Each structure stands twice: as structure tokens, then as C-alpha cells.
Amino acid sequence: MRTVRLKLVTIIAEALLQDRLLDDIKRLGARGYSVGDVSGEGSRGVRASDWEGRNVRIESVVSAPVADAILEHLSARYFPSFAVIAWVADVDVARGDKYV
Amino acid sequence: MRTVRLKLVTIIAEALLQDRLLDDIKRLGARGYSVGDVSGEGSRGVRASDWEGRNVRIESVVSAPVADAILEHLSARYFPSFAVIAWVADVDVARGDKYV
Amino acid sequence: MRTVRLKLVTIIAEALLQDRLLDDIKRLGARGYSVGDVSGEGSRGVRASDWEGRNVRIESVVSAPVADAILEHLSARYFPSFAVIAWVADVDVARGDKYV
């Protein structure tokens, strides 16, 4: 099977941020996304404040430059003020042209 | 820890396709799977039709040949007609013999 | 974007084991986690007993040594007696210092 290597970006954030985050990642180039509900715990915010409770788990398959732009944006606009974490992984997809 | 490198296949599809997809991946060699609910948005179908709404997120750890067979099958039977996306990632598992 | 390569540990287990598993991974070094609900099917337990039904999907981004410690612990304490599966993947994160 011929596949294309792309990036899977996963973002965990408080549910209140969902619409804003989805707008942002679409503007930065994401062509689609999935959102699931998760609960969680961690110390990721400013002043190491704990967060605990209902969160959303957003994932989107994007090109490497878009993944980078999303991480840059999260770092600049969300990490200083909000309990948001994100990671990027390599994935192989069929129909790679649909994602870029 | 001694681990084995296998493939994690993730499939996002409309909820109506769940049973059919699970039957398919089991027939192609998947020994287990997990299913979660997600919502989403994207343009992945034939004629670039948009999909939006309740979807399922299926994931299964399989051997590389089974991952390939699943992607081939999705490409042939689902991608032309349904809003289905899928990706494959490398994962390391303990007890690798349980998956193949 | 400057990122750090870490490990994403994903654990699928029966819901009854959730609190115990979360206590364990925190004790072993996980600084945060997310939990989602999934259903599933597989043959992973002792005596190849089937499991089917409500499960939790726990994920946590950790250092490589912590990922290894978690897999070792699961192998020793859970795999022989419970329907638990787990896998580890490479992920790139911003703010890598928050996870270790």
C-alpha cells in the first residue's frame, strides 16, 4: 500500500477552549479533525496550576509545516495561560493528498 | 523491557459503519480493537463531500502486514464512497505474540 | 519549533482498574494523564480469556525510563491476571520539561 508520512497532532485542553482551538487549527491549515471527551489531571499551566476535570482531546492529521505552526501557536498563545498540552507523532496515511 | 514493534491502526468513520468495519478488520487479522466516540469535521469523501457529526474512532494494534491489508481494504471499499480516514503508527508493545 | 522527543504510553483496561492504574503510573513518574471511555474486544488475559465491554483508555506522555517502568509494572502485575493492553509510541512535545 502506498502511503504518505504525515503528522498527527493531539491536543488536550479544557472543554471551554474547544471552539477556539478548532478555529485556530483550521486557520493554520488543518483540513479536518476529531474531538473526543476525556478527563484528566496534570500540572501544565502557568504557575504549575493543577487542572483536573472534563477536557477535550482534539486530533488532526496534517503536514509537517502545519503541525509545526500549530505547536508554535499553542506555545505562544495557550501554554502561558491555559492548561493545554499537545504532542506530535509520525503517521502513515493513504490518500495523503486529502490532508494538505 | 523487551518489546516488539507493531502497528497501531486508527480509523475514524461515521458511526453507522462501525459493525461493518469491525467485521472487516477482524477478518483481515486484527486480534482485538477499541472503539471510542468522537465528533469531527473534514472533507474526505467522494466528491469532497463534507462530513460532520458523530463518528467512531477504532484502534487496533496489528502486525505490519495486517495494517497494510486493512489500509488496502479501506482504500478499495470505503474511501471511494464513505467518509472514512485512517492512519498507521509505529508502537512498541509488551507481549507482542498476543497481537499476531 | 523546538520540541523534545518523549514517549506516549496508552493503556486499555477494564474500567474497574482505572483508579489503581492511575495511582500506579503516577507513582512510577507520570506527571499527568488523560482518560477516555472505549468499548472493545480482544483476547489478552490469562488463559486467553476474552474481554468485551466498557474499558478505559489511559494515555500519558512520559520520559523513556518512565515508559519502560510502566510497561515493566504492567507486565509483572497486570498482564498475568487482567485484560490490560498497552503500547508506547514516540511523540514530540513542546515544553518537554513539564513531563519529566
Side-chain angles (χ1 to χ4, degrees):
Chain A
M1 181 76 202
R2 197 168 143 273
T3 59
V4 177
R5 177 143 295 191
L6 291 169
K7 297 290 185 182
L8 173 66
V9 178
T10 304
I11 304 168
I12 312 280
E14 33 190 326
L16 279 171
L17 295 173
Q18 177 178 333
D19 290 348
R20 181 174 159 178
L21 281 166
L22 293 177
D23 285 346
D24 288 351
I25 69 169
K26 286 189 280 189
R27 187 173 40 76
L28 293 168
R31 300 280 305 275
Y33 61 81
S34 291
V35 185
D37 294 319
V38 291
S39 59
E41 189 184 322
S43 59
R44 298 282 176 271
V46 99
R47 295 177 305 277
S49 60
D50 283 342
W51 53 273
E52 187 170 339
R54 287 198 60 253
N55 297 303
V56 288
R57 181 184 191 275
I58 299 169
E59 62 188 356
S60 182
V61 174
V62 298
S63 69
V66 170
D68 206 58
I70 290 172
L71 277 195
E72 286 278 11
H73 180 74
L74 295 176
S75 293
R77 302 296 174 84
Y78 288 86
F79 291 169
S81 313
F82 298 106
V84 172
I85 65 169
W87 61 82
V88 175
D90 288 330
V91 291
D92 297 315
V93 302
R95 301 202 306 173
D97 57 305
K98 295 284 177 182
Y99 298 86
V100 293
Chain B
M1 182 74 202
R2 197 169 142 271
T3 59
V4 176
R5 177 144 294 190
L6 290 170
K7 297 290 184 181
L8 173 66
V9 178
T10 304
I11 304 168
I12 311 281
E14 32 190 329
L16 279 171
L17 295 174
Q18 177 178 332
D19 291 347
R20 182 174 156 177
L21 281 165
L22 294 178
D23 286 345
D24 287 352
I25 68 169
K26 285 188 281 187
R27 187 174 39 79
L28 292 167
R31 299 280 305 273
Y33 60 82
S34 291
V35 185
D37 294 319
V38 292
S39 59
E41 190 183 323
S43 59
R44 297 283 176 271
V46 99
R47 297 176 304 276
S49 61
D50 283 340
W51 53 272
E52 189 170 338
R54 288 198 59 253
N55 297 303
V56 287
R57 181 184 192 275
I58 298 169
E59 62 189 358
S60 182
V61 175
V62 297
S63 68
V66 170
D68 206 58
I70 290 171
L71 276 195
E72 287 278 11
H73 180 74
L74 295 176
S75 293
R77 302 295 175 84
Y78 288 86
F79 290 170
S81 313
F82 298 106
V84 171
I85 64 169
W87 61 81
V88 176
D90 288 331
V91 291
D92 297 315
V93 303
R95 299 202 306 173
D97 56 305
K98 294 285 178 183
Y99 298 86
V100 294
Chain C
M1 182 74 203
R2 196 168 143 273
T3 59
V4 176
R5 176 143 296 190
L6 290 170
K7 298 290 184 181
L8 173 65
V9 178
T10 304
I11 304 167
I12 312 280
E14 32 191 327
L16 280 171
L17 295 174
Q18 177 178 331
D19 290 348
R20 181 174 157 177
L21 281 165
L22 294 177
D23 285 346
D24 288 351
I25 69 169
K26 286 188 281 188
R27 188 174 39 79
L28 292 168
R31 299 279 306 272
Y33 61 81
S34 291
V35 185
D37 294 320
V38 292
S39 58
E41 190 184 323
S43 59
R44 298 281 176 272
V46 100
R47 296 177 303 277
S49 60
D50 283 343
W51 52 274
E52 188 170 339
R54 289 199 58 254
N55 297 302
V56 287
R57 182 185 190 275
I58 298 169
E59 62 188 357
S60 181
V61 174
V62 298
S63 68
V66 170
D68 206 58
I70 290 172
L71 277 195
E72 287 277 10
H73 180 73
L74 295 176
S75 294
R77 302 296 175 85
Y78 288 86
F79 291 170
S81 314
F82 299 106
V84 172
I85 65 170
W87 61 82
V88 175
D90 287 331
V91 292
D92 297 315
V93 302
R95 300 203 305 173
D97 57 306
K98 294 285 177 183
Y99 298 86
V100 294

